Amino acid sequence: MNRRTFVTTTGAAIAGSLITTTTQAALTPITLEQAPLAYPPEALEPHIDALTMNIHFGKHHVAYITKLTDALKSGSIPAGNVIDLITDLSKAPAEQQMAIRNNGGGHVNHSWFWKWMAPAGSGPTGPEGKLGEAIQSTFTSIEEFKKLFGEAGTKRFGSGWAWLIVKPDGKLAVTSTPNQDNPLMKGIVADTDLGTPILGLDVWEHAYYLKYQNKRPDYIAAWWNVVNWAEVAKGYEAAKA
Ligand code: MN3
């Protein structure tokens, strides 16, 4: 059985398109449970402070889960894998779509965000192996990539995210979304910006204001110190498989 046949016959019930199905296949399912942090909240100091981590993980992320749970209850939608819900919002009842988009997006984005960070010095300090090669060949250098990604974060007006994605054709791209939208959301994000996120940066003020106030570029510059490049490489390999 070739890949297309396999996708068509097994994925048809859950997902409407080849892009959706292959994208989701690379991603670990996310339920309504909040996974514990893989490091203590103070472990990202001095780049990300403990108070911010405690509020961000313990209050903001939890609020997205609570509101998503409420929205699903009122619409009698089975939660299952939240990634499935946000990938194609047109499958949800119209009156629940905005709550699922905002809070489902919030839950998924933050679940990834905690994993995309690790204490400074605990792993590779930059992209290595195939990921490193792909970043260099796509963006000319690691520094150019960081510049582009940082600009995506600083230029995002208001709240949102900067992303490194693997597009359906396997190519890397830097994108940005407002609010809690993400590159999986068909019909919300432009088709050309759809892909599998392998790194994302939260540029909501709640992610940095206590330590960096209005200086978003300083937050972004410091954040590179705590990027979990081993996890990003894992995501890249899975998305390319
Ligand atoms: Mn946040």
Side-chain angles (χ1 to χ4, degrees), residues 100-189:
I100 296 174
R101 174 179 173 181
N102 289 336
N103 298 295
H107 176 33
V108 167
N109 295 347
H110 288 84
S111 298
W112 288 331
F113 188 53
W114 314 129
K115 289 208 229 168
W116 285 328
M117 296 190 289
S122 63
T125 54
E128 296 176 345
K130 284 184 184 151
L131 172 66
E133 285 164 26
I135 287 179
Q136 290 191 42
S137 70
T138 307
F139 305 104
T140 70
S141 71
I142 311 280
E143 281 317 304
E144 278 302 309
F145 155 69
K146 285 187 173 178
K147 204 175 131 209
L148 196 68
F149 186 97
E151 282 169 4
T154 48
K155 285 182 185 162
R156 166 54 53 198
F157 181 76
S159 301
W161 292 74
W163 303 100
L164 174 63
I165 63 169
V166 178
K167 299 178 88 163
D169 64 2
K171 297 222 168 77
L172 290 173
V174 166
T175 66
S176 162
T177 54
N179 305 315
Q180 295 296 353
D181 292 349
N182 77 35
L184 296 178
M185 292 179 174
K186 269 198 310 175
I188 304 263
V189 168

Side-chain angles (χ1 to χ4, degrees), residues 56 64 110 161 180 202 204 206-207:
H56 201 180
Y64 295 123
H110 288 84
W161 292 74
Q180 295 296 353
D202 188 340
W204 283 57
H206 69 224

Side-chain angles (χ1 to χ4, degrees), residues 37-48:
L37 274 182
Y39 41 81
E42 66 276 16
L44 306 181
E45 296 259 15
H47 311 292
I48 309 292

